[in-house]
Amino acid sequence: MNNQGNVNYGIFLPLLNVYGDQKTIDCFTQEAMFDGWLKAESALARAEAEESIIPVEMAEKIEQAAHISSLDLKDFWEETRNVGYPIIPLVNRLAEVAGEAGKYVHWGATTQDIMDTGLILQIKSVLNRLEQLLTDLGNACATLCEQHAETIQAGRTHGQQAVPITFGFKVSVWLEEIQRHYLRLQEVKKRLLVGQLSGAAGTLATLGEKAPFVRKRYCNLLGLNEPQGPWHVARDIIVEFSNMEATISGTVQKIAKEIANLASTEIGEVFEF
């Protein structure tokens, strides 16, 4: 960690930049995390201003201040350890930069509203990248299916040669898995890309009768779906995302292992050219 509070992830994950997809890695940097939190605070202020809960000019000042480049992050994580939550030191710094508008920062929200919404914004970027990667992989497999529809190779069962198949036929099995993953991703998006704004106990009572309107506008500003209710303690959608990632990884690992086996010197049925 340097003097600005930035964590050098490469120290702890030395192979990340070797095997990871850089655009996906960028979605989970410290900067991306702060950016998600600040976008949530900014959207909250604007939504509340539109409902006349806070003055419009105060919301504008908060929006102008809500950028990571505006904040002094020195000792940020030490303060976080003291209080147990990162949003308190974040709000304190944002309020300081916002000046007279600082007293309206985080108005009516609770820590987890901002943390959960920020996380979903990060995951949204990941899903967009994952969708592109699945599309590219599917297109590559579809091309191989066409090119090698009549390329004969041995079919195998229990590691032994069986009846003849074609390489295109083999790749078509990979393609079907990838297509199913793509469809799963679309389904997961509907449930996962949901904002969080429910207040300390889930009722958002601090905003009174205007609470539903603020929450709807807050989510709209962030490009997220509105939740049916608070999900502070409902983590199944996060688990569903993790399960989908694991399932996709399993397919990709299987394909890579099969290619490695077929490319071995003793078999030599596939090769790079």
Side-chain angles (χ1 to χ4, degrees):
M1 184 180 296
N2 62 25
N3 291 334
Q4 285 71 46
N6 296 318
V7 177
N8 183 352
Y9 292 105
I11 294 176
F12 307 105
L13 301 172
L15 297 181
L16 192 61
N17 291 327
V18 176
Y19 296 108
D21 174 68
Q22 189 60 51
K23 291 184 179 179
T24 303
I25 293 170
D26 291 343
C27 295
F28 286 116
T29 62
Q30 179 174 250
E31 289 73 14
M33 179 178 64
F34 277 108
D35 184 63
W37 293 344
L38 291 170
K39 283 180 178 176
E41 293 287 2
S42 180
L44 174 64
R46 191 194 302 187
E48 291 176 336
E50 291 179 4
E51 290 296 328
S52 301
I53 294 174
I54 70 173
V56 173
E57 61 272 19
M58 297 296 103
E60 291 175 348
K61 290 182 180 295
I62 293 171
E63 289 183 78
Q64 292 169 5
H67 299 282
I68 190 171
S69 59
S70 302
L71 307 183
D72 179 6
L73 298 179
K74 185 178 180 181
D75 300 326
F76 179 90
W77 293 111
E78 281 69 18
E79 291 182 37
T80 297
R81 290 190 186 94
N82 288 334
V83 300
Y85 302 100
I87 301 303
I88 293 176
L90 179 79
V91 168
N92 289 340
R93 284 163 171 76
L94 179 56
E96 182 178 356
V97 176
E100 60 178 332
K103 60 185 178 181
Y104 296 106
V105 171
H106 201 66
W107 189 273
T110 194
T111 290
Q112 201 170 336
D113 289 333
I114 302 305
M115 293 187 68
D116 281 346
T117 301
L119 175 61
I120 294 302
L121 290 174
Q122 288 180 269
I123 292 176
K124 182 180 180 180
S125 297
V126 171
L127 289 177
N128 290 338
R129 177 57 178 165
L130 183 56
E131 183 173 343
Q132 182 60 58
L133 290 172
L134 284 173
T135 299
D136 292 345
L137 180 57
N139 288 339
C141 287
T143 298
L144 286 175
C145 286
E146 293 178 359
Q147 291 177 341
H148 296 281
E150 298 181 3
T151 303
I152 301 297
Q153 71 168 107
R156 293 178 173 83
T157 179
H158 296 290
Q160 304 300 309
Q161 289 191 9
V163 298
I165 62 171
T166 69
F167 185 64
F169 176 77
K170 176 184 288 289
V171 176
S172 71
V173 177
W174 305 345
L175 178 57
E176 287 188 19
E177 281 193 65
I178 295 163
Q179 289 173 328
R180 287 193 291 270
H181 289 317
Y182 186 90
L183 293 175
R184 289 187 187 100
L185 188 150
Q186 306 312 313
E187 285 297 316
V188 168
K189 274 186 177 182
K190 299 174 186 177
R191 293 183 287 274
L192 182 61
L193 300 185
V194 176
Q196 173 77 286
L197 182 61
S198 302
T203 64
L204 203 57
T206 51
L207 300 184
E209 295 180 353
K210 294 184 176 181
F213 306 103
V214 172
R215 180 165 49 219
K216 182 175 182 178
R217 182 59 175 151
Y218 167 82
C219 293
N220 180 260
L221 288 167
L222 294 168
L224 299 175
N225 297 321
E226 186 181 1
Q228 293 181 336
W231 54 275
H232 291 142
V233 295
R235 315 313 289 178
D236 58 292
I237 57 174
I238 306 298
V239 174
E240 184 176 13
F241 165 71
S242 300
N243 287 342
M244 182 189 67
E245 290 276 283
T247 305
I248 294 172
S249 296
T251 293
V252 174
Q253 185 274 340
K254 180 198 74 172
I255 294 172
K257 180 63 174 176
E258 188 158 12
I259 291 173
N261 287 340
L262 294 177
S264 63
T265 303
E266 292 79 3
I267 299 176
E269 290 184 0
V270 300
F271 54 89
E272 291 186 81
F273 62 91

